[in-house]
Amino acid sequence: MATTNASAPSAQGESAAGSTTRPVVNDFSIQVATVNGSGSQSANAVLLKSIFGMGIPVSGKNLFPSNIAGLPTWYTIRASKHGYVARKKDIDILVAMNPETAKDDILSLRAGSVAIYEEGLNLQQYREDVICYPVPFDKLTAQVCPEAKLRKLVRNMIYVGVVAKLTQMDMAVVEAAVRRQFAKKQKAADLNWGAVQAGYDYTTQSLTKHDPFVLERMHATEGKIIIDGNAAAALGAMFAGVTVVTWYPITPSSSVVEQLIDYLKKYRVEQDGKASFAVVQAEDELAAVGMVLGAGWAGARSMTATSGPGISLMAEFAGLGYFSELPGVIFDVQRVGPSTGLPTRTMQGDLLSIAYLSHGDTKHVMLLPGSVKECFEFGGAAFDLAEQLQTPIFVLSDLDLGMNNWMSEPFDYPETPIQRGKVLTAEDLKRLGGFGRYKDVDGDGIPYRTLPGTDHPKAAYFTRGSGHNEQALYTERPDDYQNLMERLNRKFDTARTMVPAPVVVQNGKSKIGIIAFGTSDFAVTESRDQMKKEYGLEVDYLRLRAWPFTPEVLDFVASHERVYVVEQNRDAQMLSLLKLDLPAEETVRLRSVRHFNGLPIDARSVTDEIVLQEGI
Amino acid sequence: MATTATPPPAPKVNRIGLPVLDYRGGKTTLCAGCGHNAISERIIDSLYEMGIQPERVMKLSGIGCSSKSPAYFLSRAHSFNSVHGRMPSVATGALLANKTMMGLGVSGDGDTASIGMGQFVHLMRRNLPMIYIIEDNGVYGLTKGQFSATADLGSKLKTGVINDLPAIDTCALAIQLGATFVGRSFSGDKKQLSAMLKAAIAHKGTVMLDVISPCVTFNDHEGSTKSYKYMQEHEEAIAEVGFVPHFEDISVDYDAGSTFDVRMHDGSHLRLHKLHENYNPTDRVQAVKALMEAHEKGEVLTGVFYIDPEKPTFTELLNMVDDPLATLPQERTRPSKQVLDEIMNRLK
Ligand SMILES: Cc1ncc(C[n+]2csc(CCOP(=O)(O)OP(=O)(O)O)c2C)c(N)n1
Ligand code: SF4
Ligand SMILES: [Mg+2]
């Protein structure tokens, strides 16, 4: 089975699992193995929200197939009193609901883990070193759910009851989570709560707890929210005042726009019933990005959301956007490539292709959110940057961040007013007597523009992807072209001063550092603690949040002997970008840690690789 | 008034007080005699005569000789020469951003019927409020004369190469896809093209005009079905087109027995002097039939084939606020702090 990449017991067993009775409190992972389309999402959400409701830091990851129904799916929940939310390499409690994968599932467990399964599967025959809790799911389901066609769904709630009892969950919190999950459907809530209770009662009466995994109330989640990165990005866009949204459905980005549509319908329809936005499901990604740039040109705050295959299609337009200086926001929720790849698995694999997307000397500003909060914040900032810099802005999230639920501090209302960049009005033109569309008046490489409809005879200009001079007239003159390209470079340098700076954690003594970005942050944060605890190794950390790089990056690299660039792709794409940007004598310090099996990177993989390369 | 004895002298300015000079563009860089230049001239005339404020127009195009031509008319309008075959998406975005603008798209037969077919189809289907002109020469002019997908079966290139694939009829296609004003004309037919363009300006949905526009450099010779000579011999108008803007007196030269009057949404009239029995431009089935029959006979049918002045446009369907989305103030695009707090509370 594919979701844990270790089967051999690890030397540094992270949760002191085993047949010992010393309890392991608030520090373990649960994996539910089901088939997709079986309706286990509600049950998994209840488990997640119950742990959250008990004040314990928790994260959930859905590992699903690219298929509509009937293929294996795993949902992993990690409770961590330390607040670690990265994927945990090992599973502590397995709920094996899928007979097809059950044998593999139990074989992949470490000794001392727990397995809960339908008793008919007899999984105990495969592992003597795993604590087994067979449960007569079918029988219990039939008792609580007389209606045969609902049984498939209700069956899942029974494992919630079993896990709740075994881990000593607060049942009042569980009931609240169930009732909230089915808030609008009283009958469904009752039925599902009945199933949870049946699982709970069965466990109380018929099973004896042998495992050490328990939950205890904490107060670490108070005031926090749970949200997925795509919803967060959608909120960021709405509060940034997005007006034109185009898309072509593709996993894992579809839910950015789907959720945005819900929000817009609720909060951006005016009193007369008219919308202060337009959403278009385009015929393909070429059209989606063409509409974004057309809208940006005419003055809208426009965006689209896509994933790798869509990015590839957008290449020609991306170059047009760069060269003729058109604002627009493109969210890329990255998935595993190349080609169709693994559509439902995660990767940080589009960096290089986006950085230089399109032919000729083209380059694009990329924002790299590392949390749902940053999906919200960068989702908003991208629109300001697009209009201020007059260029397409790419926001690179990934499937792990976009489609999974994460805990977060609530989002802050944007403090600064919406920034619309250098736009000249008819009054400005009256005063100035005219303007040069591509003239660098301010020395920052950013020219002034006008919007179609500006009521002044000198407002118009001709936008083209062919050679143009400062007056936007066609030219093939060598100096015109070279001046334009150099100005675009100046503009890119201006972007360096406007994009989010990296987050740097350093103690001034460490000789080694880590550079990472996006969802690798969760694993790196935990790995740094592991390295300190287990090897006494203190490692500084710089988390990149944008490209082009800001000066902090050079400072960080130059002040360490070795810097490990941690990323989730095969070709060390971020390392390549760093090598292109940094002075050659500094790049010798860079090392690479890569993770690219489609699963989110975990802390142990980072630690093991760095320890290996350090020769410890 | 029509009763005035002597016609007024040709006006130096139009009804909004602008001289025709204000509708001109840069000097053309297309070949002398290129049909595209003649079309630019007709566009200038019709915008001038209709009294359209140049600043209220957005010119949009793809890539090709034809797509360059927006540079040669209406310099006072914003223009967007985009990428090959993708003008429809750019136009869609621009019109969503500002639906109060008039969209005027110029494309070529290659730009539309080959690389741009996908976007063309969906633009027609959406009934986006704009005028979409194909300057149709049956070849790729800018890349030096390869066949395009509108070249007729059996037509010959200068090099002697014969086209062995059937032509795509962009008009029949547009009618079937949902465009609400579809016509074909010839760059050399001043009167018909001007009348059609003026009616197009008055129409509220998608106008699709396929204008046969000979490429004098690569496709104006014996054996080409898109040459001046061929057109003069084979053109057959289904109806003589007259257009009466709503601000002009309607009662001129009216002959009820032989005209079909289409009332445009702005109150103006498109008047078809019927040459063919029973030609009704509101009947899609008949329109497509007429096109196919003419094709069988080796004729090039011109005229306005189909009009639906009522069908909702794409921007109407989206039910947007009346003001352009582009310039909505922050108060209307950023929900309040209370809204964010409410959403955050629900996620706790
Ligand atoms: C993606 C892409 N492929 C190819 C070209 C080369 N190209 C430029 S114009 C053109 C054909 C134009 O033909 P048409 O639209 O009929 O315009 P015309 O020049 O005949 O007016 C081609 C193939 C291009 N610009 N972009
Ligand atoms: S090559 Fe043909 S289409 Fe192009 S400008 Fe010359 S005549 Fe016109
Ligand atoms: Mg052509």
Side-chain angles (χ1 to χ4, degrees):
Chain A
M1 111 57 185
T3 69
T4 57
N5 38 17
S7 49
S10 135
Q12 290 86 21
E14 289 145 65
S15 53
S19 50
T20 54
T21 45
R22 218 181 59 198
V24 175
V25 183
N26 296 350
D27 190 12
F28 56 89
S29 64
I30 305 169
Q31 183 168 75
V32 181
T34 52
V35 291
N36 68 332
S38 68
S40 57
Q41 287 104 316
S42 299
N44 297 334
V46 167
L47 278 178
L48 182 88
K49 300 248 165 95
S50 299
I51 299 171
F52 181 77
M54 288 177 69
I56 305 159
V58 65
S59 58
K61 287 194 195 305
N62 192 10
L63 241 93
F64 59 105
S66 177
N67 175 270
I68 300 304
L71 287 185
T73 301
W74 295 269
Y75 191 79
T76 309
I77 294 169
R78 178 180 188 183
S80 166
K81 62 183 171 215
H82 307 291
Y84 297 139
V85 290
R87 181 173 73 90
K88 191 165 178 281
K89 207 162 177 172
D90 301 305
I91 302 303
D92 298 307
I93 300 177
L94 166 73
V95 183
M97 300 299 284
N98 180 5
E100 298 273 324
T101 62
K103 184 179 167 191
D104 282 349
D105 287 337
I106 195 165
L107 286 176
S108 72
L109 294 177
R110 281 185 310 119
S113 322
V114 170
I116 298 163
Y117 50 87
E118 165 65 42
E119 60 183 8
L121 292 174
N122 276 323
L123 295 186
Q124 64 275 14
Q125 63 182 303
Y126 303 114
R127 293 289 293 266
E128 280 175 2
D129 56 349
V130 164
I131 301 156
C132 291
Y133 298 115
V135 178
F137 281 105
D138 291 339
K139 210 173 86 202
L140 294 173
T141 313
Q143 282 164 9
V144 293
C145 184
E147 236 180 295
K149 66 175 201 276
L150 291 177
R151 280 188 196 148
K152 202 172 94 180
L153 299 173
V154 169
R155 196 170 186 264
N156 296 315
M157 281 296 163
I158 301 208
Y159 70 66
V160 173
V162 175
V163 171
K165 173 63 192 170
L166 286 173
T167 59
Q168 299 169 10
M169 280 187 194
D170 178 340
M171 289 311 280
V173 175
V174 179
E175 180 171 5
V178 172
R179 304 233 168 255
R180 216 166 149 180
Q181 184 72 25
F182 301 97
K184 289 185 196 101
K185 297 165 229 148
Q186 175 73 31
K187 252 180 79 183
D190 291 343
L191 180 64
N192 281 283
W193 175 236
V196 174
Q197 282 176 307
Y200 186 91
D201 291 346
Y202 174 83
T203 310
T204 310
Q205 286 150 21
S206 312
L207 299 174
T208 312
K209 184 171 171 72
H210 295 298
D211 69 87
F213 306 109
V214 292
L215 295 167
E216 275 173 18
R217 189 166 258 292
M218 284 175 72
H219 297 280
T221 66
E222 258 156 51
K224 292 220 160 82
I225 59 165
I226 290 191
I227 191 171
D228 62 83
N230 285 352
L235 282 174
M238 178 170 74
F239 283 91
V242 68
T243 46
V244 173
V245 183
T246 70
W247 65 308
Y248 187 78
I250 183 169
T251 304
S253 74
S254 299
S255 62
V256 172
V257 177
E258 284 162 345
Q259 298 184 86
L260 179 54
I261 291 171
D262 290 344
Y263 287 130
L264 291 171
K265 280 189 177 159
K266 195 149 178 209
Y267 299 111
R268 289 275 301 277
V269 173
E270 302 196 342
Q271 258 154 21
D272 56 3
K274 292 186 177 173
S276 61
F277 60 88
V279 182
V280 184
Q281 187 184 319
E283 53 270 34
D284 55 30
E285 288 89 346
L286 270 76
V289 74
M291 290 176 197
V292 164
L293 296 180
W297 173 75
R301 306 265 274 187
S302 57
M303 65 165 273
T304 184
T306 189
S307 192
I311 292 293
S312 294
L313 279 184
M314 291 176 184
E316 190 185 16
F317 260 124
L320 176 74
Y322 171 77
F323 193 49
S324 41
E325 305 184 59
L326 309 166
V329 174
I330 297 141
F331 287 93
D332 175 25
V333 187
Q334 298 167 95
R335 68 187 214 184
V336 171
S339 190
T340 302
L342 312 181
T344 57
R345 296 296 150 87
T346 196
M347 180 176 186
Q348 298 178 316
D350 298 348
L351 289 168
L352 280 178
S353 63
I354 290 182
Y356 300 109
L357 190 65
S358 205
H359 54 276
D361 283 332
T362 302
K363 46 193 173 183
H364 304 287
V365 175
M366 300 189 283
L367 305 186
L368 307 168
S371 63
V372 288
K373 194 151 191 261
E374 286 184 350
C375 286
F376 174 78
E377 290 167 359
F378 294 5
F383 289 87
D384 284 348
L385 284 170
E387 290 198 308
Q388 288 173 312
L389 291 163
Q390 297 173 30
T391 199
I393 303 287
F394 291 80
V395 185
L396 280 72
S397 155
D398 63 25
L399 181 141
D400 186 20
L401 189 53
M403 289 191 74
N404 287 318
N405 277 314
W406 301 88
M407 274 186 337
S408 171
E409 291 298 329
F411 305 155
D412 302 320
Y413 192 72
E415 274 170 16
T416 44
I418 286 174
Q419 304 293 313
R420 311 249 20 204
K422 299 182 184 178
V423 178
L424 296 174
T425 62
E427 287 70 48
D428 295 331
L429 292 170
K430 228 181 271 169
R431 188 165 42 80
L432 298 166
F435 84 116
R437 166 65 181 105
Y438 294 112
K439 200 165 152 63
D440 186 6
V441 179
D442 303 326
D444 56 4
I446 307 172
Y448 285 80
R449 65 176 183 140
T450 55
L451 303 183
T454 305
D455 189 14
H456 190 281
K458 295 243 167 81
Y461 65 93
F462 198 95
T463 302
R464 45 161 67 84
S466 47
H468 43 274
N469 64 16
E470 290 181 343
Q471 296 302 320
L473 298 173
Y474 184 76
T475 175
E476 292 176 4
R477 285 173 51 135
D479 52 341
D480 280 341
Y481 174 76
Q482 201 167 329
N483 286 340
L484 169 57
M485 293 308 283
E486 271 164 5
R487 179 178 60 75
L488 288 172
N489 243 357
R490 266 199 311 281
K491 184 163 94 167
F492 209 65
D493 281 335
T494 300
R496 277 179 212 277
T497 66
M498 296 170 75
V499 296
V503 177
V504 183
V505 197
Q506 55 187 358
N507 59 17
K509 296 182 303 233
S510 302
K511 292 195 170 73
I512 65 173
I514 289 179
I515 289 181
F517 60 97
T519 49
S520 301
D521 178 55
F522 309 119
V524 167
T525 301
E526 186 179 347
S527 165
R528 289 176 65 233
D529 288 353
Q530 284 176 348
M531 287 188 280
K532 186 167 173 193
K533 208 167 104 194
E534 296 166 16
Y535 301 93
L537 191 65
E538 291 202 37
V539 184
D540 289 343
Y541 179 28
L542 178 144
R543 179 165 68 86
L544 291 165
R545 302 200 296 167
W547 188 77
F549 303 124
T550 56
E552 290 90 340
V553 181
L554 173 57
D555 294 346
F556 184 84
V557 173
S559 60
H560 291 88
E561 281 176 18
R562 289 175 301 285
V563 174
Y564 290 89
V565 182
V566 178
E567 54 190 311
Q568 300 176 59
N569 59 65
R570 182 194 67 183
D571 291 344
Q573 298 190 21
M574 183 58 89
L575 183 80
S576 306
L577 287 176
L578 287 161
K579 282 184 174 168
L580 287 167
D581 196 73
L582 297 171
E585 65 274 19
E586 301 297 347
T587 60
V588 294
R589 306 169 190 275
L590 299 176
R591 306 281 183 278
S592 181
V593 175
R594 299 156 306 130
H595 186 276
F596 56 95
N597 62 5
L599 303 176
I601 190 171
D602 62 284
R604 182 55 58 195
S605 298
V606 178
T607 302
D608 288 353
E609 180 65 23
I610 292 180
V611 163
L612 184 78
Q613 291 194 35
E614 284 290 305
I616 296 173
Chain B
M1 292 296 288
T3 50
T4 313
T6 45
K12 287 208 178 59
V13 293
N14 63 6
R15 103 192 142 89
I16 60 164
L18 295 180
V20 73
L21 209 65
D22 285 356
Y23 291 80
R24 301 218 149 265
K27 190 175 169 303
T28 179
T29 59
L30 302 180
C31 305
C34 174
H36 303 350
N37 285 330
I39 300 173
S40 295
E41 290 300 318
R42 299 292 80 75
I43 293 173
I44 291 170
D45 294 347
S46 50
L47 289 168
Y48 167 77
E49 283 169 36
M50 290 293 282
I52 299 296
Q53 179 75 35
E55 285 77 18
R56 302 303 308 161
V57 180
M58 299 191 283
K59 298 177 289 178
L60 303 137
S61 61
I63 294 291
C65 296
S66 37
S67 292
K68 284 181 176 185
S69 63
Y72 315 132
F73 61 84
L74 212 64
S75 289
R76 278 174 52 176
H78 274 75
S79 197
F80 195 144
N81 182 203
S82 64
V83 282
H84 198 18
R86 318 293 173 204
M87 176 262 279
S89 61
V90 173
T92 305
L95 283 158
L96 295 180
N98 193 340
K99 64 174 184 176
T100 68
M101 299 291 287
M102 175 184 157
L104 176 57
V106 177
S107 180
D109 42 315
D111 197 60
T112 291
S114 293
I115 193 168
M117 190 51 118
Q119 297 205 348
F120 171 74
V121 162
H122 289 275
L123 178 91
M124 297 298 128
R125 176 173 174 250
R126 293 189 180 109
N127 196 26
L128 189 75
M130 71 176 291
I131 300 172
Y132 188 105
I133 299 171
I134 305 175
E135 301 187 342
D136 186 358
N137 51 17
V139 291
Y140 294 175
L142 195 58
T143 50
K144 297 188 183 281
Q146 303 81 359
F147 275 127
S148 84
T150 65
D152 285 306
L153 189 66
S155 62
K156 214 196 246 173
L157 282 186
K158 245 181 170 172
T159 52
V161 178
I162 293 176
N163 178 34
D164 47 15
L165 291 174
I168 292 172
D169 187 332
T170 52
C171 287
L173 199 58
I175 294 168
Q176 203 228 326
L177 291 167
T180 49
F181 186 119
V182 179
R184 173 169 287 138
S185 188
F186 172 47
S187 61
D189 189 340
K190 245 180 167 171
K191 195 173 145 210
Q192 186 194 47
L193 183 53
S194 287
M196 247 189 230
L197 283 167
K198 284 190 273 180
I201 291 166
H203 182 70
K204 73 166 185 173
T206 300
V207 174
M208 207 300 280
L209 297 182
D210 180 47
V211 186
I212 309 295
S213 175
C215 169
V216 289
T217 306
F218 298 109
N219 206 16
D220 193 30
H221 52 88
E222 296 284 325
S224 157
T225 58
K226 297 223 166 24
S227 63
Y228 278 108
K229 189 151 178 280
Y230 184 92
M231 279 305 289
Q232 269 137 20
E233 283 166 9
H234 293 79
E235 186 187 7
E236 197 206 352
I238 56 167
E240 198 184 312
V241 185
F243 179 72
V244 186
H246 71 292
F247 43 81
E248 264 178 32
D249 189 355
I250 289 171
S251 59
V252 273
D253 190 21
Y254 193 85
D255 186 348
S258 65
T259 60
F260 191 102
D261 243 14
V262 186
R263 190 169 191 279
M264 311 299 282
H265 80 288
D266 65 354
S268 56
H269 288 248
L270 177 67
R271 178 170 305 160
L272 300 177
H273 285 257
K274 273 191 231 169
L275 298 180
H276 282 204
E277 279 311 304
N278 303 326
Y279 191 78
N280 172 357
T282 63
D283 181 343
R284 300 166 74 166
V285 177
Q286 196 190 346
V288 175
K289 187 161 170 265
L291 280 164
M292 296 191 116
E293 281 171 357
H295 195 254
E296 293 291 304
K297 284 190 275 174
E299 288 171 357
V300 182
L301 208 55
T302 64
V304 177
F305 308 130
Y306 179 66
I307 306 180
D308 176 355
E310 296 307 327
K311 184 177 156 187
T313 67
F314 192 52
T315 49
E316 285 170 352
L317 286 175
L318 286 169
N319 195 26
M320 292 182 274
V321 294
D322 298 338
D323 300 313
L325 296 182
T327 47
L328 292 180
Q330 178 171 325
E331 303 78 73
R332 292 174 74 182
T333 61
R334 172 177 283 171
S336 68
K337 180 161 189 313
Q338 284 67 34
V339 168
L340 185 63
D341 291 345
E342 182 191 316
I343 296 169
M344 290 299 111
N345 279 329
R346 261 189 286 122
L347 295 168
K348 277 178 185 163

